[in-house]
mmCIF file of all heavy atoms in Angstrom:
data_model
loop_
_atom_site.group_PDB
_atom_site.id
_atom_site.type_symbol
_atom_site.label_atom_id
_atom_site.label_comp_id
_atom_site.label_asym_id
_atom_site.label_seq_id
_atom_site.Cartn_x
_atom_site.Cartn_y
_atom_site.Cartn_z
ATOM 1 N N GLY V 228 -1.584 -9.163 10.067
ATOM 2 C CA GLY V 228 -1.985 -10.505 9.650
ATOM 3 C C GLY V 228 -1.738 -11.397 10.880
ATOM 4 O O GLY V 228 -0.587 -11.555 11.337
ATOM 5 N N GLY V 229 -2.816 -11.932 11.416
ATOM 6 C CA GLY V 229 -2.714 -12.706 12.653
ATOM 7 C C GLY V 229 -1.982 -14.023 12.466
ATOM 8 O O GLY V 229 -1.735 -14.465 11.352
ATOM 9 N N PRO V 230 -1.628 -14.693 13.541
ATOM 10 C CA PRO V 230 -0.905 -15.979 13.466
ATOM 11 C C PRO V 230 -1.786 -17.104 12.977
ATOM 12 O O PRO V 230 -3.002 -17.101 13.158
ATOM 13 C CB PRO V 230 -0.471 -16.231 14.924
ATOM 14 C CG PRO V 230 -1.468 -15.475 15.737
ATOM 15 C CD PRO V 230 -1.829 -14.268 14.959
ATOM 16 N N LEU V 231 -1.164 -18.078 12.351
ATOM 17 C CA LEU V 231 -1.841 -19.322 11.991
ATOM 18 C C LEU V 231 -2.005 -20.196 13.215
ATOM 19 O O LEU V 231 -1.253 -20.068 14.194
ATOM 20 C CB LEU V 231 -1.059 -20.049 10.924
ATOM 21 C CG LEU V 231 -0.940 -19.379 9.547
ATOM 22 C CD1 LEU V 231 0.180 -20.051 8.729
ATOM 23 C CD2 LEU V 231 -2.257 -19.420 8.833
ATOM 24 N N THR V 232 -2.954 -21.115 13.183
ATOM 25 C CA THR V 232 -3.124 -22.068 14.263
ATOM 26 C C THR V 232 -2.650 -23.443 13.879
ATOM 27 O O THR V 232 -2.605 -24.364 14.714
ATOM 28 C CB THR V 232 -4.605 -22.132 14.680
ATOM 29 O OG1 THR V 232 -5.402 -22.500 13.549
ATOM 30 C CG2 THR V 232 -5.077 -20.764 15.231
ATOM 31 N N ALA V 233 -2.276 -23.639 12.632
ATOM 32 C CA ALA V 233 -1.726 -24.908 12.125
ATOM 33 C C ALA V 233 -0.917 -24.581 10.856
ATOM 34 O O ALA V 233 -1.128 -23.544 10.253
ATOM 35 C CB ALA V 233 -2.794 -25.924 11.844
ATOM 36 N N GLU V 234 -0.004 -25.464 10.474
ATOM 37 C CA GLU V 234 0.747 -25.243 9.265
ATOM 38 C C GLU V 234 -0.174 -25.150 8.058
ATOM 39 O O GLU V 234 -1.043 -25.992 7.877
ATOM 40 C CB GLU V 234 1.778 -26.329 9.073
ATOM 41 C CG GLU V 234 2.916 -26.291 10.066
ATOM 42 C CD GLU V 234 3.999 -27.292 9.714
ATOM 43 O OE1 GLU V 234 3.917 -27.927 8.649
ATOM 44 O OE2 GLU V 234 4.939 -27.425 10.516
ATOM 45 N N ALA V 235 0.006 -24.110 7.257
ATOM 46 C CA ALA V 235 -0.843 -23.940 6.084
ATOM 47 C C ALA V 235 -0.231 -22.893 5.166
ATOM 48 O O ALA V 235 0.550 -22.029 5.610
ATOM 49 C CB ALA V 235 -2.256 -23.522 6.496
ATOM 50 N N GLU V 236 -0.553 -22.953 3.903
ATOM 51 C CA GLU V 236 -0.216 -21.886 2.967
ATOM 52 C C GLU V 236 -1.152 -20.707 3.216
ATOM 53 O O GLU V 236 -2.372 -20.852 3.269
ATOM 54 C CB GLU V 236 -0.351 -22.374 1.531
ATOM 55 C CG GLU V 236 0.065 -21.376 0.486
ATOM 56 C CD GLU V 236 -0.124 -21.919 -0.920
ATOM 57 O OE1 GLU V 236 -1.148 -22.599 -1.185
ATOM 58 O OE2 GLU V 236 0.768 -21.684 -1.778
ATOM 59 N N ARG V 237 -0.557 -19.535 3.353
ATOM 60 C CA ARG V 237 -1.381 -18.315 3.562
ATOM 61 C C ARG V 237 -0.709 -17.154 2.832
ATOM 62 O O ARG V 237 0.405 -16.748 3.187
ATOM 63 C CB ARG V 237 -1.459 -18.042 5.081
ATOM 64 C CG ARG V 237 -2.459 -16.972 5.499
ATOM 65 C CD ARG V 237 -1.877 -15.565 5.516
ATOM 66 N NE ARG V 237 -2.742 -14.628 6.212
ATOM 67 C CZ ARG V 237 -2.540 -13.314 6.186
ATOM 68 N NH1 ARG V 237 -1.506 -12.806 5.486
ATOM 69 N NH2 ARG V 237 -3.329 -12.484 6.817
ATOM 70 N N ILE V 238 -1.377 -16.629 1.810
ATOM 71 C CA ILE V 238 -0.795 -15.588 0.984
ATOM 72 C C ILE V 238 -1.782 -14.470 0.843
ATOM 73 O O ILE V 238 -3.004 -14.694 0.596
ATOM 74 C CB ILE V 238 -0.412 -16.076 -0.442
ATOM 75 C CG1 ILE V 238 0.416 -17.375 -0.349
ATOM 76 C CG2 ILE V 238 0.335 -14.989 -1.201
ATOM 77 C CD1 ILE V 238 0.684 -18.025 -1.710
ATOM 78 N N THR V 239 -1.319 -13.220 0.971
ATOM 79 C CA THR V 239 -2.107 -12.053 0.679
ATOM 80 C C THR V 239 -1.351 -11.165 -0.289
ATOM 81 O O THR V 239 -0.123 -11.223 -0.375
ATOM 82 C CB THR V 239 -2.474 -11.224 1.935
ATOM 83 O OG1 THR V 239 -1.266 -10.901 2.640
ATOM 84 C CG2 THR V 239 -3.393 -12.013 2.851
ATOM 85 N N MET V 240 -2.090 -10.307 -1.003
ATOM 86 C CA MET V 240 -1.480 -9.343 -1.894
ATOM 87 C C MET V 240 -1.974 -7.958 -1.552
ATOM 88 O O MET V 240 -3.175 -7.773 -1.321
ATOM 89 C CB MET V 240 -1.810 -9.678 -3.369
ATOM 90 C CG MET V 240 -0.993 -8.842 -4.372
ATOM 91 S SD MET V 240 -1.804 -7.280 -4.809
ATOM 92 C CE MET V 240 -2.748 -7.777 -6.253
ATOM 93 N N VAL V 241 -1.052 -6.988 -1.522
ATOM 94 C CA VAL V 241 -1.393 -5.602 -1.211
ATOM 95 C C VAL V 241 -1.019 -4.748 -2.404
ATOM 96 O O VAL V 241 0.118 -4.829 -2.895
ATOM 97 C CB VAL V 241 -0.633 -5.109 0.038
ATOM 98 C CG1 VAL V 241 -1.015 -3.671 0.356
ATOM 99 C CG2 VAL V 241 -0.896 -6.040 1.226
ATOM 100 N N ASN V 242 -1.964 -3.948 -2.886
ATOM 101 C CA ASN V 242 -1.664 -3.070 -4.011
ATOM 102 C C ASN V 242 -1.899 -1.604 -3.587
ATOM 103 O O ASN V 242 -2.952 -1.291 -3.017
ATOM 104 C CB ASN V 242 -2.554 -3.384 -5.204
ATOM 105 C CG ASN V 242 -1.995 -2.809 -6.493
ATOM 106 O OD1 ASN V 242 -0.792 -2.947 -6.769
ATOM 107 N ND2 ASN V 242 -2.803 -2.148 -7.276
ATOM 108 N N GLY V 243 -0.935 -0.748 -3.861
ATOM 109 C CA GLY V 243 -0.951 0.630 -3.377
ATOM 110 C C GLY V 243 -1.484 1.626 -4.371
ATOM 111 O O GLY V 243 -1.317 1.500 -5.600
ATOM 112 N N TYR V 244 -2.053 2.728 -3.821
ATOM 113 C CA TYR V 244 -2.585 3.833 -4.607
ATOM 114 C C TYR V 244 -2.249 5.159 -3.953
ATOM 115 O O TYR V 244 -1.896 5.228 -2.795
ATOM 116 C CB TYR V 244 -4.137 3.720 -4.713
ATOM 117 C CG TYR V 244 -4.577 2.501 -5.513
ATOM 118 C CD1 TYR V 244 -4.719 1.250 -4.899
ATOM 119 C CD2 TYR V 244 -4.798 2.581 -6.874
ATOM 120 C CE1 TYR V 244 -5.095 0.129 -5.624
ATOM 121 C CE2 TYR V 244 -5.154 1.462 -7.622
ATOM 122 C CZ TYR V 244 -5.295 0.241 -6.988
ATOM 123 O OH TYR V 244 -5.653 -0.865 -7.716
ATOM 124 N N VAL V 245 -2.319 6.208 -4.767
ATOM 125 C CA VAL V 245 -2.158 7.576 -4.274
ATOM 126 C C VAL V 245 -3.264 8.439 -4.826
ATOM 127 O O VAL V 245 -3.805 8.214 -5.914
ATOM 128 C CB VAL V 245 -0.780 8.188 -4.686
ATOM 129 C CG1 VAL V 245 0.350 7.502 -3.980
ATOM 130 C CG2 VAL V 245 -0.611 8.117 -6.192
ATOM 131 N N ALA V 246 -3.648 9.461 -4.045
ATOM 132 C CA ALA V 246 -4.612 10.449 -4.507
ATOM 133 C C ALA V 246 -3.990 11.334 -5.609
ATOM 134 O O ALA V 246 -2.800 11.669 -5.533
ATOM 135 C CB ALA V 246 -5.100 11.310 -3.332
#
Side-chain angles (χ1 to χ4, degrees):
L231 294 165
T232 57
E234 289 188 6
E236 182 181 41
R237 191 270 193 192
I238 310 172
T239 55
M240 190 271 268
V241 181
N242 199 48
Y244 293 86
V245 291

